């Protein structure tokens, strides 16, 4: 068993260098900013992401959307429920009864339209704070991370 000093040193190393620890911290920071700015639309950042992905896909199965978003199907279903309850999307049986197809309702389209200008404000703020070069490097690095590490 490690002594307290060794364990503390290792934990400090985790906080300073762990990819997951630091990506999640950065993600929470960005999410909080977007949530704050999107608040008047009634849509949270994660909900905006889902509505955007569904809108771009048209009608999409839960399985396909989960793959596109690199999400666990169960987690995605849990995140879709509040949007369905609000009437922003509908989930219907597909050709195969085991499949569920998601699509935006008119109310969902309207919520997305209301959120888009606010998203532009949040996105502009991030770009201003990071600068174009750092933002481009970040986006490229995140895309590479998904490509290189995703098993799918």
């Amino acid at each position: 068993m490690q002594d307290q000093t060794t364990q503390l040193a290792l934990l400090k190393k985790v906080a300073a260098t762990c990819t997951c620890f630091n990506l999640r911290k950065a993600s929470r920071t960005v999410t909080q900013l977007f949530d704050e700015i999107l608040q008047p639309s009634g849509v949270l950042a994660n909900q905006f992401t889902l509505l955007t992905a569904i809108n771009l896909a048209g009608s999409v199965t839960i399985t396909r959307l989960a793959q596109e978003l690199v999400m666990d199907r169960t987690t995605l279903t849990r995140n879709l429920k509040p949007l369905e309850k609000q009437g922003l999307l509908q989930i219907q049986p597909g050709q195969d009864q085991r499949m569920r197809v998601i699509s935006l309702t008119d109310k969902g389209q309207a919520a997305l339209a209301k959120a888009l200008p606010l998203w532009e404000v949040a996105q502009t703020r991030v770009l201003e704070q990071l600068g174009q070069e750092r933002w481009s490097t970040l986006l490229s690095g995140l895309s590479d991370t998904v490509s290189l590490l995703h098993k799918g």
Side-chain angles (χ1 to χ4, degrees), residues 10-147:
L10 186 55
L11 290 172
K12 286 181 179 180
K13 180 179 179 182
V14 167
T17 65
C18 176
T19 306
C20 186
F21 184 98
N22 286 285
L23 273 172
R24 290 179 65 85
K25 193 165 124 178
S27 177
R28 284 189 297 273
T29 300
V30 171
T31 299
Q32 289 168 5
L33 171 72
F34 275 75
D35 278 349
E36 179 184 323
I37 293 172
L38 287 170
Q39 195 270 330
S41 74
V43 174
L44 297 170
N46 70 323
Q47 295 171 326
F48 177 81
T49 301
L50 291 173
L51 294 174
T52 298
I54 295 165
N55 191 20
L56 289 171
S59 289
V60 63
T61 65
I62 290 177
T63 301
R64 182 72 184 135
L65 185 60
Q67 291 168 345
E68 287 290 320
L69 295 172
V70 191
M71 284 180 82
D72 175 77
R73 199 174 180 282
T74 305
T75 303
L76 175 59
T77 300
R78 188 172 52 249
N79 284 299
L80 292 172
K81 290 292 181 203
L83 296 171
E84 184 181 27
K85 283 182 182 176
Q86 293 172 40
L88 302 180
L89 57 85
Q90 59 184 1
I91 302 174
Q92 299 178 313
Q95 292 177 338
D96 178 338
Q97 285 299 97
R98 295 171 293 172
M99 291 180 12
R100 297 285 175 252
V101 178
I102 313 159
S103 58
L104 291 188
T105 62
D106 289 343
K107 188 175 178 182
Q109 294 281 355
L112 191 54
K114 185 176 180 181
L116 273 170
L118 297 168
W119 171 84
E120 287 183 300
V121 170
Q123 185 72 5
T124 298
R125 185 163 310 160
V126 169
L127 283 166
E128 287 170 352
Q129 292 293 312
L130 293 179
Q132 184 66 44
E133 186 176 337
R134 185 180 286 141
W135 177 80
S136 294
T137 300
L138 174 64
L139 203 57
S140 175
L142 292 172
S143 180
D144 290 348
T145 300
V146 172
S147 297

Side-chain angles (χ1 to χ4, degrees), residues 1-14:
M1 184 169 188
Q2 296 175 335
D3 67 18
Q4 293 277 348
T5 305
T6 305
Q7 185 178 8
L8 183 59
L10 186 55
L11 290 172
K12 286 181 179 180
K13 180 179 179 182
V14 167

